[in-house]
Amino acid sequence: MEPAGADDYSRGQPSALDDDTSSANNQSNESYPSQKNEHEAQSPSAAAAAAAASASAAAGADGEDRTAESASYLQRLLTEGHERPDGYFCTICFLPIEIPVGRHSVTNVCCMKTVCNGCDLAASQLGMYNRCPFCRTPLPHEGASFLAMVQKRVDKGDADAVHFLGDQYYQGYHGLVEDVPRAIELWTEAAELGSVEAHFNLGTTYYDGDGVEEDKPRGTHHLQQAAMRGHAESRHNLGVFAFGRGNYEIAVQHCMISAKMGHEMSLICIKAMFMKGHATKAQYAEALRGYQDAVEGMRSPQREEAKGLGI
Ligand SMILES: [Zn+2]
Ligand SMILES: [Zn+2]
């Protein structure tokens, strides 16, 4: 595939990957049952290498170079991003935050630091109302003062703040007029500055054609970028897409990674694939164990208390 342009997206990897993995996995699905035991014993990277090799094997004589490139991209996709990124840990208790992070934490615009619901509750119990539990800045309310504080961080090139401002435009919050093109512009800038969450938003927005013209390869590319940086929801979506194409082997590998980060729907997906014979019992057991370990690692008495209060 010839690059269509100079930007990262246009290098042709996502669509090539999409096509090639489809054919590769249609092929590997047929032989999957007899490979079960061998597959169970493989490490994730060995499994990724096998999947990449199988993508290579599916290449026609005229597409070998492109397929080799796609296979190596697939291998990277499956071997990178098994750990959650820094921003998904509470800045006070340092524990990983439950998924979805936005529901289980607060991010204050003073410092853009993420604090889990448990630590936020504990700060309130200590009388720290209307102040950021991390930097103790008095928090602005709705509207102009809130946006001015965000803008301050944006002006400093804070990727999370640029992403956050994009969200406000997307939703039309704080007196802003809903503006999807502006949101996309800000998310794109944030993604370039390193925001994983911005890649996720761009991914789902382009993939679903939500306020923009639908562009599934572009959406998939952004989800892949986020997944390779440890974004669990993006990884889960890639698993669901692979499942939808009948690429069960790849679907299991994606969902295994996100289940081990504590993504419940990924565990449910692997269970469903196991029930239909698309995943082995050992894979389901591994996902269940990994998920339970991740959930255990995200528990704290303060978080339990917050949940008990419906926070
Ligand atoms: Zn915390
Ligand atoms: Zn703060």
Side-chain angles (χ1 to χ4, degrees):
M1 176 177 286
E2 285 302 310
D7 69 4
D8 192 43
Y9 158 67
S10 306
R11 284 182 194 143
Q13 286 172 328
S15 50
L17 173 68
D18 211 41
D19 294 337
D20 292 338
T21 51
S22 292
S23 57
N25 284 284
N26 288 340
Q27 188 179 67
S28 63
N29 285 340
E30 288 167 19
S31 56
Y32 183 63
S34 63
Q35 293 174 346
K36 269 184 184 172
N37 291 336
E38 189 187 317
H39 189 73
E40 281 167 20
Q42 286 175 336
S43 67
S45 58
S54 121
S56 255
D62 59 344
E64 248 169 50
D65 285 350
R66 193 190 74 181
T67 307
E69 190 186 341
S70 295
S72 108
Y73 185 69
L74 174 61
Q75 185 166 6
R76 260 191 65 208
L77 179 61
L78 292 169
T79 50
E80 292 181 10
H82 288 222
E83 302 293 331
R84 298 180 72 195
D86 285 350
Y88 298 96
F89 289 74
C90 173
T91 45
I92 292 181
C93 68
F94 305 118
L95 292 176
I97 297 168
E98 293 142 292
I99 298 165
V101 171
R103 194 185 302 159
H104 296 282
S105 64
V106 291
T107 301
N108 292 311
V109 293
C110 38
C111 55
M112 294 308 300
K113 299 290 187 199
T114 302
V115 174
C116 76
N117 286 349
C119 290
D120 193 46
L121 173 67
S124 302
Q125 288 168 338
L126 290 171
M128 207 189 300
Y129 299 105
N130 299 324
R131 276 179 186 271
C132 170
F134 183 78
C135 72
R136 308 196 173 205
T137 300
L139 293 171
H141 295 291
E142 298 284 303
S145 56
F146 182 91
L147 290 173
M149 198 170 260
V150 179
Q151 191 61 49
K152 250 188 178 175
R153 303 286 317 170
V154 169
D155 294 343
K156 287 182 182 166
D158 180 329
D160 293 330
V162 178
H163 164 255
F164 186 88
L165 187 58
D167 282 357
Q168 310 313 302
Y169 275 103
Y170 185 79
Q171 303 283 358
Y173 285 159
H174 300 288
L176 293 172
V177 177
E178 198 180 300
D179 186 343
V180 176
R182 180 70 183 131
I184 297 249
E185 211 171 81
L186 286 161
W187 288 339
T188 303
E189 187 187 333
E192 282 163 9
L193 288 168
S195 166
V196 175
E197 204 70 35
H199 274 298
F200 173 62
N201 285 13
L202 288 167
T204 54
T205 304
Y206 278 119
Y207 195 91
D208 296 336
D210 186 8
V212 286
E213 196 178 335
E214 182 186 295
D215 187 341
K216 291 199 185 300
R218 189 172 200 137
T220 303
H221 166 74
H222 283 292
L223 292 172
Q224 289 169 343
Q225 291 299 305
M228 285 192 282
R229 290 167 172 83
H231 192 267
E233 288 97 328
S234 297
R235 180 69 70 179
H236 173 76
N237 282 355
L238 294 177
V240 171
F241 300 161
F243 179 87
R245 292 193 303 266
N247 298 347
Y248 304 120
E249 194 179 342
I250 301 293
V252 170
Q253 290 187 57
H254 280 309
C255 290
M256 182 70 79
I257 297 166
S258 36
K260 287 179 177 179
M261 292 175 178
H263 196 295
E264 190 179 10
M265 285 308 297
S266 293
L267 176 66
I268 291 169
C269 271
I270 291 182
K271 184 179 181 183
M273 286 190 275
F274 164 56
M275 304 290 273
K276 288 185 179 292
H278 299 314
T280 65
K281 191 175 179 179
Q283 285 172 325
Y284 174 50
E286 183 186 344
L288 183 60
R289 241 187 347 264
Y291 171 77
Q292 286 170 339
D293 287 349
V295 168
E296 202 47 49
M298 293 189 282
R299 252 189 242 289
S300 76
Q302 291 92 338
R303 290 181 183 186
E304 295 306 307
E305 191 181 348
K307 272 185 207 155
L309 292 170
I311 298 170

